[in-house]
Amino acid sequence: MDNNFDVAIIGGGVSGCAAFWTISEYTNIDKVVLLEKCDKLATISSSSKANSQTIHDGSIETNYTSQKASKVKVAADKVKHYALAKGLQNKAIFKMQKLAIGIGDEECEFIKHRHEEFKEIFQGLEFFTKDEVKKIEPKVIENPDGNDRSENVVASGFKESWCAMNFEILSESFVKEAQKANKQSEILLNFKVLNIKQNADGTYNIKAKDKREINAKFILVNAGSHSLTLAQNAGYGKDIACLPMAGSFYFVPGNLLKGKVYTVQNPKLPFAALHGDPDIAINGVTRLGPTAIVIPKLERSKYLFGNVNSELVKIDFKVDALKVALDLLKDSEIRNYALKNVMFELPWIGKKLFIKDARKIIPSLKLSELTYAKGFGEVRPQVIDMTAKKLELGEKKIITEKGLTFNMTPSPGATSCLGNAKTDTIEIAKYLNKSFDIERFQKDLEQ
Ligand SMILES: Cc1cc2nc3c(=O)[nH]c(=O)nc-3n(C[C@H](O)[C@H](O)[C@H](O)COP(=O)(O)OP(=O)(O)OC[C@H]3O[C@@H](n4cnc5c(N)ncnc54)[C@H](O)[C@@H]3O)c2cc1C
C-alpha cells in the first residue's frame, strides 16, 4: 500500500463520512483516506443507539434563538436533500410529526411568542391548541384516569416532516457513494491515531497504536469527543476545555407517541430539552431522554470505570476551565438540574425520579412501563471557551491554516455534518490548490 495521501480524515463517524463523500464526489483531490479506530464506522456518537435521531433544524428546539435556527436549518436541509436524493426514505430518513409543546400558562405564552417569530423562518409551521394537540398527539393530553390533564397545553410544529434520521445508516451511505465517486478513496479500520507530527516537507505523519503509519498533506480531524485531545497533543486548542456531558435514554414499550415531542428548555442549557419520540431503529418502542450528566469519559462504556479518560486531566484541570464549571454550578437552576440528572442514572431511584419529568410529555406513563435504555446514549463534548470564560452552545472548529483542522461536534453535530463538510472542503481544496465543484454541491444539496 502507498502510505502517502492528499487528505487523511481521522474519525469515521457521520462528520468524517460526510467529509469523505464531499471530497471524493466534488473535488479533484485524488487520494483520500478515512481512519477509524473501531472495527466499524459510526459506532460512537453517530450510532442510532447514541443520539436522539433528530434532524435538528431549529423549528422545535426551544433552546435555539431564531438566528441559530436560521443557521442550523441550512445544514439540516442538506442532510435531508442528500437522504431523499439517494433514496434513503424509511431506511435512514423518516417522516413523522414533530411538536414543541408548552405545558402550563408560562410555557404556553413562551411557545405562542416563539411560534410568531419562528413561522417567518419555517414555512408551514403550525400552531396547535390543546384540543388540536389532543387530536394529533393524544397521549400528551391524557391523564392516567383517561380525562384531560388540567394544565393548558399548546404546541408549535409540523404534522409531517422528514425529521428523523438514522445517522449510522447515513454514514454508511456517504462511504458507499464516496467509493463509487473516487476509486482511490480508502478506509482504514482499527486505525487508532496516537500521534500527528509535521514532516520536514510540511506534510504530516500519522502514527497508529498498532504502529501503522501514513503521511498526508492535509489532516481533517473529525474524532468527535477525541478531537480536542488530538488537537492539544498537536499543540492547538489550548484555550479550549471540554465538559463531557453524557446523555442516557429510557424506553417505554409501544408507539405511545406519533412523532417527536420536545419540551421547553432552560435557555441556560446548551442542548435540546427532554423529549419523547418513536425509535426509528427499534420497532414499537418509544424513547424518552436524553438526560445530562458530567462524566470523566470521552466515550461511554458498559463498565462503570471503563473508558475513564486520563487525557481529560490535561484538558480540563486548568484554573479557567474549572472556574467556568464552578460559575455554572453557582446558578441554582443549573445546580439542581445537574444533581437531578446524576440521580437519573442510579438504579431503581433513577427511574422513580425520571418518570416525574417524563410525565410532562406522557402524563399517563406507569413506572412499570419505563426501563433504563442500557447501552444507549453517548457523551456530548461541550466546549468551554477559556478566553471568553463560558460554555459554548454548539460545535467548535479549530482551523490552524497549516493543513490541519479539528472539529468538535456536540449536538447538533450530526445534523451539521454536510455543513461542516462544505466549510472544510473549501479550506482543503484551497490549501492543496485543487478545485471544489461548489456549484454542483449547492445544486445537489441546497436547492
Ligand atoms: C445523547 C445525545 C443525543 C444527541 N442527539 C442528536 C440529535 O438528535 N441530532 C443531532 O444532530 N445530533 C445529536 N447529537 C450529537 C451527535 O450525535 C454528534 O454531534 C455526532 O454524532 C458527531 O459525529 P462525529 O462524526 O463528529 O463524531 P462521532 O460519531 O463520535 O465519530 C467520531 C469517530 O472518531 C473515531 N475516533 C476517535 N478518536 C480516534 C482516533 N484517535 N483515531 C481514529 N479514530 C478515532 C471514533 O471511534 C468515532 O468513530 C446527540 C449526542 C448525544 C450524546
Side-chain angles (χ1 to χ4, degrees), residues 10-16 35-38 42-46 50-54 56 167 191-193 222-226 230 247 249 262 290 299 377-380 409-415:
I10 302 177
V14 73
S15 307
L35 308 172
E36 168 54 49
K37 71 175 165 54
C38 301
T43 57
I44 313 298
S45 302
S46 307
N51 58 62
S52 302
Q53 309 172 331
T54 303
H56 285 309
F167 292 104
F191 194 108
K192 181 173 182 177
V193 175
N222 275 330
S225 50
H226 298 267
L230 288 169
F249 294 92
Y262 275 62
E299 250 176 57
E378 248 311 327
V379 174
R380 313 165 181 98
T409 48
S411 191
T415 302

Side-chain angles (χ1 to χ4, degrees), residues 363-377:
S364 59
L365 203 62
K366 294 189 194 87
L367 193 63
S368 57
E369 291 175 319
L370 202 61
T371 47
Y372 181 80
K374 213 164 175 233
F376 283 67

Side-chain angles (χ1 to χ4, degrees), residues 160-176:
E160 260 195 352
S161 167
W162 290 105
C163 63
M165 182 70 92
N166 185 329
F167 292 104
E168 198 177 325
I169 294 185
L170 180 70
S171 308
E172 284 164 16
S173 167
F174 281 141
V175 164
K176 201 174 99 203

Side-chain angles (χ1 to χ4, degrees), residues 14-59:
V14 73
S15 307
C17 295
F20 189 57
W21 174 69
T22 305
I23 297 168
S24 304
E25 175 69 47
Y26 295 100
T27 73
N28 58 350
I29 297 169
D30 292 327
K31 293 201 69 198
V32 190
V33 65
L34 181 63
L35 308 172
E36 168 54 49
K37 71 175 165 54
C38 301
D39 58 3
K40 252 186 102 200
L41 299 169
T43 57
I44 313 298
S45 302
S46 307
S47 147
S48 67
K49 289 167 105 182
N51 58 62
S52 302
Q53 309 172 331
T54 303
I55 301 177
H56 285 309
D57 67 0
S59 56

Side-chain angles (χ1 to χ4, degrees), residues 126-137:
E126 282 189 71
F127 184 79
F128 303 94
T129 62
K130 186 173 180 178
D131 283 343
E132 287 162 341
V133 175
K134 185 177 172 178
K135 278 191 203 126
I136 60 171
E137 201 60 278

Side-chain angles (χ1 to χ4, degrees), residues 236-303:
Y236 299 99
K238 301 274 186 186
D239 55 341
I240 297 170
C242 172
L243 193 66
M245 189 73 82
S248 306
F249 294 92
Y250 278 84
F251 283 146
V252 186
N255 288 328
L256 296 193
L257 297 172
K258 296 190 188 309
K260 294 189 177 282
V261 179
Y262 275 62
T263 52
V264 173
Q265 177 62 303
N266 181 333
K268 292 172 188 166
L269 300 168
F271 30 76
L274 181 75
H275 49 269
D277 50 10
D279 196 299
I280 53 171
I282 312 169
N283 264 340
V285 167
T286 302
R287 236 205 243 203
L288 290 158
T291 60
I293 172 179
V294 178
I295 59 170
K297 302 181 185 194
L298 291 172
E299 250 176 57
R300 297 193 87 162
S301 155
K302 51 184 169 184
Y303 307 109

Side-chain angles (χ1 to χ4, degrees), residues 59 62 100-120 125-130 132 152-157 264:
S59 56
T62 54
I101 55 164
I103 312 283
D105 293 340
E106 204 178 308
E107 286 190 9
C108 288
E109 251 340 274
F110 170 81
I111 292 286
K112 265 184 214 159
H113 281 116
R114 186 181 190 275
H115 179 79
E116 287 309 306
E117 190 183 352
F118 279 65
K119 73 180 187 199
E120 305 298 325
L125 187 72
E126 282 189 71
F127 184 79
F128 303 94
T129 62
K130 186 173 180 178
E132 287 162 341
N152 191 17
V153 177
V154 296
S156 170
V264 173

